[in-house]
Amino acid sequence: MDHYNTRTSTFLDLDTPMTKLSWFKIALMGVTVVPRLLLATVVMSGMALMSTVAMWGWDESEPLSPGRYRLIRLSRCCPVLTLKLLGVHVRVEGWENYLKAEKQGVKMLLFNHISYLDAFGLVGLTAASGVSKAANLKIPILGKCVKGLQSVNVPEKNRARKIGEENNNTQAISITDIIIKRLEDPRYPMICLAPEGTCGNGKCLLKFRTGGFVPGKPVLPVCIKYRHQHLNPAWTIINEPMHFLRLMCQFMNFMEVSFLPVYNPSEEEKKDPALFAENVRKLMGKHLDVPLVEEGVNEFHALLKSGIRTTYDGSEITAPPGVIDENGFANLTLALKKTQ
């Protein structure tokens, strides 16, 4: 890709830069940030404690018993309260579709990944497990929560974006096998999977990876949208500390979670995961009213490898000399080869 337009990239969002109003909010709300973070830490510690009790003395290779899993489901009030402490208001649509999916035994939930807030919202609503980097288990407090949710843990050298890819990586195959096993075992909870493999700015749907579609099982599509004016909560290529500070200093952040009807694949889609993935992507794109793009996780990592970033205030794109031309185009060909 020798002409990648950085100015229209879904990974380099410049639509909500710092303004005088942003600084005013930080000055006004900044004193509340630390107390709210401390409270959120206490709340999530409660979830970690319940997860530890639920997993105590249990063989991690086996699904939790119904009694232990009830404790995990009870703990989902913690991420809900944490979102409130972060100033996030969650609105849910189509909850009846989730209840129908549970009754039908649907085990795969697919969502469009936008922000670091997504996981708190989905876990708070469904207590579903996910596909997570094994390194996340080492994160204080959150690692215990991930463990209690019985997530599929991907080794660091084999990131989640490799799942289901048709290559010679035997670890990727084994992870896919684990997911298939989970889908076939009714004792395990539903699995949350983001087929995009990374976060965009929420204004489009990235190219879907096919790993979650290989089993050919019914899926529950979930569409997430953040309505915003002064700050896009998207976890793109940003200055993360400043972005989080601005998020905490918003008067309110709005998260919408829409559960669509269960999607049952046709016989043709069961045989062709790429077709299955694309049809679900079209369905979700139509509901979100956003375009489908061919960018994906490879382009995201290519931008990072090329040293392309945004300034701390989200107003400009920066890069090493010679990487981006005067028209905003970058040559990502070499970086893309390194990511594949």
Side-chain angles (χ1 to χ4, degrees):
M1 183 178 291
D2 49 356
H3 285 89
Y4 182 88
N5 191 344
T6 60
R7 294 175 182 174
T8 61
S9 173
T10 184
F11 305 117
L12 299 163
D13 189 51
L14 303 180
D15 288 348
T16 54
M18 290 284 292
T19 62
K20 291 181 180 179
L21 178 60
S22 303
W23 289 114
F24 173 75
K25 288 180 179 178
I26 290 175
L28 182 65
M29 301 284 290
V31 294
T32 71
V33 171
V34 172
R36 286 157 58 205
L37 280 179
L38 289 175
L39 284 173
T41 300
V42 172
V43 171
M44 291 307 296
S45 295
M47 182 176 184
L49 177 60
M50 285 188 274
S51 296
T52 300
V53 172
M55 297 293 292
W56 190 270
W58 193 258
D59 183 355
E60 295 179 23
S61 64
E62 293 293 324
L64 289 174
S65 65
R68 290 173 182 259
Y69 185 60
R70 271 194 290 271
L71 187 57
I72 298 297
R73 289 186 68 90
L74 180 63
S75 73
R76 64 183 178 174
C77 63
C78 296
V80 172
L81 182 54
T82 297
L83 284 178
K84 290 185 180 298
L85 289 169
L86 297 182
V88 181
H89 173 73
V90 181
R91 186 164 70 90
V92 180
E93 294 181 349
W95 183 246
E96 68 278 4
N97 293 321
Y98 172 73
L99 297 178
K100 289 178 182 178
E102 275 199 322
K103 290 181 179 180
Q104 294 172 17
V106 176
K107 291 295 182 180
M108 179 70 78
L109 183 156
L110 302 174
F111 69 100
N112 59 308
H113 202 2
I114 300 176
S115 174
Y116 42 75
L117 302 173
D118 299 350
F120 289 90
L122 290 174
V123 170
L125 290 169
T126 69
S129 61
V131 178
S132 171
K133 291 187 293 185
N136 290 340
L137 293 173
K138 300 178 182 179
I139 300 176
I141 300 176
L142 292 180
K144 296 292 185 182
C145 302
V146 171
K147 187 176 181 180
L149 291 168
Q150 305 173 84
S151 295
V152 177
N153 300 308
V154 183
E156 183 66 20
K157 63 181 179 180
N158 176 40
R159 294 179 186 274
R161 69 177 187 272
K162 297 291 186 181
I163 294 175
E165 289 295 297
E166 295 182 358
N167 54 33
N168 295 322
N169 192 326
T170 55
Q171 285 187 326
I173 295 173
S174 67
I175 293 297
T176 304
D177 288 342
I178 292 173
I179 292 177
I180 292 174
K181 179 182 177 182
R182 290 285 190 94
L183 296 179
E184 294 176 345
D185 192 334
R187 297 175 298 169
Y188 278 106
M190 194 177 288
I191 295 180
C192 272
L193 188 65
E196 293 170 294
T198 190
C199 297
N201 62 10
K203 301 172 185 175
C204 63
L205 269 184
L206 305 176
K207 187 176 180 179
F208 278 11
R209 295 287 179 170
T210 59
F213 302 90
V214 170
K217 301 289 186 180
V219 298
L220 177 64
V222 176
C223 295
I224 296 176
K225 179 178 287 189
Y226 293 89
R227 297 199 180 277
H228 63 274
Q229 183 176 358
H230 303 292
L231 176 67
N232 187 347
W235 192 8
T236 51
I237 298 177
I238 52 175
N239 181 295
E240 294 176 358
M242 178 57 76
H243 187 269
F244 185 69
L245 175 62
R246 289 182 64 191
L247 181 87
M248 290 286 292
C249 293
Q250 291 292 106
F251 296 136
M252 185 63 72
N253 301 282
F254 296 95
M255 177 183 185
E256 297 180 0
V257 183
S258 299
F259 293 88
L260 305 188
V262 171
Y263 189 99
N264 292 287
S266 65
E267 290 301 319
E268 185 179 5
E269 289 171 326
K270 291 178 182 179
K271 297 175 183 178
D272 187 348
L275 176 65
F276 188 5
E278 187 60 18
N279 287 341
V280 173
R281 188 167 80 122
K282 288 179 180 177
L283 177 70
M284 294 174 66
K286 182 178 180 180
H287 181 86
L288 290 165
D289 193 25
V290 297
L292 310 182
V293 299
E294 291 307 305
E295 293 180 62
V297 68
N298 289 336
E299 284 75 15
F300 174 78
H301 287 287
L303 288 168
L304 293 177
K305 286 183 178 294
S306 299
I308 300 174
R309 302 289 190 274
T310 55
T311 53
Y312 81 97
D313 61 354
S315 63
E316 296 180 9
I317 297 172
T318 63
V323 173
I324 300 177
D325 66 23
E326 59 184 9
N327 296 314
F329 289 93
N331 189 336
L332 300 182
T333 302
L334 182 60
L336 281 170
K337 289 181 179 179
K338 294 179 180 180
T339 63
Q340 294 174 348

